Coordinates of all heavy atoms in Angstrom, one line a residue:
A141 N 7.0 58.0 56.0 CA 5.9 57.8 55.1 C 5.2 59.2 54.7 O 5.0 59.4 53.6 CB 4.9 56.9 55.7
K142 N 5.0 59.9 55.7 CA 4.4 61.3 55.4 C 5.3 62.2 54.5 O 4.8 62.8 53.5 CB 4.1 62.0 56.7 CG 3.0 61.5 57.6 CD 2.9 62.3 58.8 CE 1.7 61.8 59.7 NZ 1.5 62.5 61.0
E143 N 6.6 62.1 54.8 CA 7.6 62.8 54.0 C 7.6 62.3 52.5 O 7.6 63.1 51.6 CB 8.9 62.7 54.6 CG 10.0 63.4 53.7 CD 11.4 62.9 54.0 OE1 11.7 61.6 54.1 OE2 12.4 63.7 54.1
L144 N 7.6 60.9 52.3 CA 7.6 60.4 51.0 C 6.3 60.8 50.3 O 6.3 61.1 49.1 CB 7.7 58.9 51.1 CG 9.1 58.4 51.4 CD1 9.1 56.9 51.8 CD2 10.1 58.7 50.2
L145 N 5.2 60.7 50.9 CA 3.9 61.1 50.3 C 3.9 62.6 49.8 O 3.4 62.9 48.8 CB 2.7 60.8 51.2 CG 2.3 59.3 51.3 CD1 1.3 59.1 52.4 CD2 1.8 58.8 50.0
E146 N 4.5 63.4 50.7 CA 4.6 64.8 50.3 C 5.6 65.0 49.1 O 5.2 65.7 48.2 CB 5.2 65.6 51.5 CG 5.3 67.1 51.2 CD 5.7 67.9 52.5 OE1 5.8 67.3 53.5 OE2 6.0 69.1 52.3
R147 N 6.6 64.2 49.0 CA 7.6 64.3 47.9 C 7.0 63.7 46.7 O 7.5 64.2 45.5 CB 8.9 63.5 48.3 CG 9.7 64.2 49.4 CD 10.8 63.4 50.0 NE 11.8 63.0 49.0 CZ 12.7 62.1 49.3 NH1 12.7 61.4 50.5 NH2 13.7 61.8 48.4
V148 N 6.0 62.9 46.7 CA 5.4 62.4 45.5 C 4.1 63.2 45.1 O 3.3 62.8 44.2 CB 5.1 60.8 45.5 CG1 6.3 60.0 45.7 CG2 4.0 60.5 46.6
G149 N 3.9 64.3 45.9 CA 2.8 65.2 45.6 C 1.5 64.8 46.1 O 0.5 65.2 45.6
L150 N 1.5 64.0 47.2 CA 0.2 63.6 47.8 C 0.1 64.1 49.3 O -0.5 63.3 50.0 CB 0.2 62.0 47.7 CG 0.0 61.6 46.2 CD1 0.0 59.9 46.3 CD2 -1.2 62.1 45.5
K151 N 0.6 65.1 49.6 CA 0.5 65.6 51.0 C -0.9 65.7 51.5 O -1.2 65.4 52.7 CB 1.2 67.0 51.0 CG 1.2 67.7 52.4 CD 1.9 69.0 52.4 CE 1.9 69.7 53.7 NZ 2.5 71.0 53.7
E152 N -1.8 66.1 50.6 CA -3.2 66.2 51.0 C -4.0 65.0 50.9 O -5.2 65.0 51.2 CB -3.8 67.3 50.1 CG -3.2 68.6 50.1 CD -3.0 69.3 51.5 OE1 -3.8 69.1 52.3 OE2 -1.9 69.9 51.7
R153 N -3.4 63.9 50.4 CA -4.2 62.6 50.3 C -3.7 61.5 51.1 O -3.9 60.3 50.8 CB -4.0 62.2 48.8 CG -4.3 63.2 47.7 CD -5.6 63.9 47.9 NE -6.8 63.1 47.8 CZ -7.4 62.7 46.7 NH1 -7.0 63.1 45.6 NH2 -8.4 61.9 46.8
V154 N -3.0 61.8 52.3 CA -2.5 60.8 53.2 C -3.5 59.9 53.6 O -3.3 58.7 53.8 CB -1.8 61.6 54.4 CG1 -1.4 60.6 55.5 CG2 -0.6 62.3 53.9
L155 N -4.7 60.3 54.0 CA -5.8 59.5 54.4 C -6.7 59.0 53.4 O -7.7 58.3 53.7 CB -6.6 60.3 55.5 CG -5.8 60.8 56.7 CD1 -6.6 61.5 57.7 CD2 -5.0 59.6 57.4
A156 N -6.4 59.2 52.1 CA -7.3 58.8 51.0 C -7.2 57.3 50.8 O -6.1 56.7 50.9 CB -7.0 59.6 49.8
L157 N -8.3 56.7 50.5 CA -8.4 55.2 50.1 C -8.1 55.1 48.6 O -8.4 56.0 47.8 CB -9.8 54.7 50.4 CG -10.1 54.5 51.8 CD1 -11.5 54.0 52.0 CD2 -9.1 53.6 52.6
P158 N -7.4 54.0 48.2 CA -7.0 53.8 46.8 C -8.1 54.1 45.8 O -7.9 54.7 44.7 CB -6.5 52.4 46.8 CG -6.0 52.2 48.2 CD -7.0 52.9 49.1
Q159 N -9.3 53.6 46.1 CA -10.4 53.7 45.1 C -10.8 55.1 44.8 O -11.6 55.4 43.9 CB -11.6 52.9 45.5 CG -12.2 53.2 46.8 CD -11.7 52.4 48.0 OE1 -10.5 52.0 48.0 NE2 -12.5 52.1 48.9
T160 N -10.4 56.1 45.7 CA -10.7 57.5 45.5 C -9.6 58.2 44.6 O -9.8 59.4 44.5 CB -10.9 58.3 46.8 OG1 -9.8 58.2 47.5 CG2 -12.0 57.4 47.7
L161 N -8.6 57.5 44.3 CA -7.5 58.2 43.6 C -7.3 57.8 42.2 O -7.8 56.7 41.8 CB -6.2 57.8 44.4 CG -6.1 58.1 45.8 CD1 -4.9 57.5 46.5 CD2 -6.1 59.6 46.1
S162 N -6.7 58.6 41.4 CA -6.4 58.3 40.0 C -5.3 57.2 39.9 O -4.6 56.9 40.9 CB -5.9 59.5 39.2 OG -4.7 60.0 39.7
G163 N -5.1 56.7 38.7 CA -4.1 55.7 38.5 C -2.7 56.4 38.7 O -1.8 55.6 39.4
G164 N -2.5 57.5 38.4 CA -1.2 58.2 38.6 C -0.9 58.4 40.1 O 0.2 58.2 40.5
E165 N -1.9 58.7 40.9 CA -1.8 58.8 42.2 C -1.6 57.5 43.0 O -0.7 57.4 43.8 CB -3.1 59.5 42.9 CG -3.2 61.0 42.5 CD -4.7 61.5 42.8 OE1 -5.6 60.9 42.8 OE2 -4.7 62.8 43.2
R166 N -2.2 56.5 42.5 CA -2.0 55.2 43.0 C -0.5 54.7 42.9 O 0.0 54.1 43.8 CB -3.0 54.1 42.5 CG -4.4 54.4 42.8 CD -5.3 53.3 42.3 NE -6.7 53.7 42.3 CZ -7.7 52.9 41.9 NH1 -7.5 51.7 41.6 NH2 -8.9 53.4 41.9
Q167 N 0.0 55.0 41.7 CA 1.3 54.6 41.4 C 2.4 55.4 42.2 O 3.4 55.0 42.6 CB 1.6 54.6 39.9 CG 2.9 53.9 39.5 CD 2.8 52.4 39.8 OE1 2.8 52.0 41.0 NE2 2.7 51.6 38.7
R168 N 2.0 56.7 42.5 CA 2.9 57.5 43.3 C 2.9 56.9 44.8 O 4.0 56.9 45.4 CB 2.3 58.9 43.4 CG 2.5 59.7 42.1 CD 1.7 61.0 42.2 NE 1.8 61.7 41.0 CZ 2.6 62.9 40.7 NH1 3.2 63.3 41.8 NH2 2.6 63.4 39.5
I169 N 1.8 56.4 45.2 CA 1.8 55.7 46.6 C 2.7 54.5 46.5 O 3.4 54.2 47.4 CB 0.3 55.3 46.9 CG1 -0.5 56.5 47.2 CG2 0.3 54.4 48.2 CD1 -2.0 56.3 47.5
A170 N 2.6 53.7 45.4 CA 3.3 52.5 45.2 C 4.9 52.8 45.2 O 5.7 52.0 45.7 CB 2.9 51.7 44.0
I171 N 5.2 53.9 44.7 CA 6.7 54.3 44.6 C 7.1 54.7 46.0 O 8.1 54.4 46.5 CB 6.8 55.5 43.6 CG1 6.6 55.0 42.1 CG2 8.3 56.1 43.8 CD1 6.5 56.2 41.2
A172 N 6.2 55.4 46.7 CA 6.6 55.8 48.1 C 6.7 54.5 49.0 O 7.6 54.4 49.9 CB 5.5 56.7 48.7
R173 N 5.8 53.6 48.8 CA 5.9 52.3 49.5 C 7.1 51.6 49.2 O 7.8 51.0 50.1 CB 4.7 51.4 49.1 CG 4.6 50.0 49.8 CD 3.4 49.3 49.2 NE 3.5 49.0 47.8 CZ 2.5 48.6 47.0 NH1 1.4 48.3 47.6 NH2 2.7 48.4 45.7

Side-chain angles (χ1 to χ4, degrees):
K142 288 181 180 178
E143 177 200 44
L144 284 169
L145 285 169
E146 183 173 352
R147 287 165 68 189
V148 299
L150 294 177
K151 181 180 179 180
E152 308 301 325
R153 310 307 300 273
V154 170
L155 300 179
L157 294 174
Q159 58 266 34
T160 68
L161 301 172
S162 68
E165 289 172 326
R166 294 183 196 186
Q167 197 59 295
R168 288 167 185 254
I169 294 172
I171 293 169
R173 178 184 61 191

